[in-house]
Amino acid sequence: MKLEIKNISKQYGKKTVLQGVSQEFSEGVYGLLGPNGAGKTTLLNIIATVLKASAGTICYEQKNVFDDLAGYHSMVGYLPQKIGFYTHFTGYDMMKYMHYLKGGDRKNTGQIDELLQRVNLYDVKDNKIATYSGGMKQRLGIAVALLNNPKLLILDEPTNGLDPIGIEELRELIRSFPAKGITVILSSHILSEVQQTADHIGII
């Protein structure tokens, strides 16, 4: 999926958070690197259309996303920096619930097992989320983001707060997506993490 952002700016009152950001994304893993407060989350929220830019355009396949917002949303998966789960749910029940919310067929849940296998959670799918580690919750979040079979996956600080094992597991998972036709945009404030995960790096 080819995505292009042109001259993206964002202001809150008199405060400018982003100014004139332009970038093209096509294949691979793109790392958005910058210190805390640099505007990474704001930019990802704008790309995901959670926020509206003050100026600039977002185009996919040479079309403005707001000319075909439903089509764009059908091709985008988003894992925000903070994701909340019903921790009394099992991993499988959470996936099933999100599957329904995203308009999935209630009688066709086979995709859920496939996704849980892909993120290496199938063996613990019947365990309550309250028992999951931080890394397991992040992988569950990615599985939720993959429910609509996206061509673009947006991950905001996906390894933040994880232990080294969780980071390595998540890194391997993220690196596997381009081979499946999924372009990934992720943010981080850690240079070494972006270097080990991303094919392309942008500094903000």
Side-chain angles (χ1 to χ4, degrees):
M1 176 177 173
K2 184 176 181 180
L3 180 76
E4 184 178 7
I5 58 175
K6 301 177 183 178
N7 298 315
I8 295 294
S9 297
K10 181 64 179 178
Q11 285 86 35
Y12 292 101
K14 295 182 179 180
K15 183 178 180 181
T16 299
V17 180
L18 296 170
Q19 185 169 8
V21 180
S22 298
Q23 181 64 51
E24 289 187 11
F25 309 92
S26 54
E27 297 178 352
V29 178
Y30 289 78
L32 186 63
L33 178 68
N36 291 328
K40 301 186 299 298
T41 294
T42 298
L43 181 59
L44 294 186
N45 280 335
I46 289 172
I47 293 173
T49 71
V50 175
L51 284 178
K52 189 171 179 62
S54 302
T57 58
I58 308 170
C59 297
Y60 81 98
E61 307 300 347
Q62 299 182 331
K63 296 183 293 186
N64 189 304
V65 301
F66 292 103
D67 291 337
D68 182 22
L69 197 56
Y72 179 65
H73 285 167
S74 72
M75 292 191 288
V76 176
Y78 181 37
L79 177 66
Q81 188 174 146
K82 295 180 180 179
I83 183 168
F85 290 122
Y86 295 120
T87 56
H88 61 286
F89 278 23
T90 66
Y92 183 84
D93 286 341
M94 193 73 232
M95 286 288 290
K96 188 165 64 173
Y97 177 68
M98 296 304 298
H99 173 73
Y100 296 161
L101 288 184
K102 287 174 178 276
D105 185 346
R106 289 175 179 265
K107 296 180 180 180
N108 183 14
T109 57
Q111 179 198 23
I112 293 175
D113 284 339
E114 293 176 10
L115 288 174
L116 288 171
Q117 288 175 337
R118 186 187 294 188
V119 301
N120 198 27
L121 290 175
Y122 184 79
D123 291 342
V124 294
K125 68 176 185 175
D126 295 323
N127 294 4
K128 291 187 182 298
I129 296 172
T131 67
Y132 283 12
S133 67
M136 292 163 70
K137 290 175 182 176
Q138 285 294 82
R139 284 185 276 129
L140 182 62
I142 290 177
V144 169
L146 293 172
L147 276 167
N148 61 327
N149 297 309
K151 297 296 184 183
L152 174 66
L153 185 61
I154 302 169
L155 308 174
D156 190 6
E157 297 269 8
T159 61
N160 195 27
L162 301 187
D163 60 31
I165 294 175
I167 290 173
E168 179 61 28
E169 290 175 343
L170 200 59
R171 184 188 301 137
E172 290 180 6
L173 177 63
I174 292 169
R175 292 291 307 161
S176 73
F177 290 135
K180 296 177 173 62
I182 301 173
T183 297
V184 181
I185 305 174
L186 63 86
S187 67
S188 179
H189 60 278
I190 304 173
L191 175 60
S192 60
E193 184 54 39
V194 173
Q195 285 178 316
Q196 293 180 73
T197 308
D199 302 306
H200 313 279
I201 299 175
I203 298 174
I204 187 169

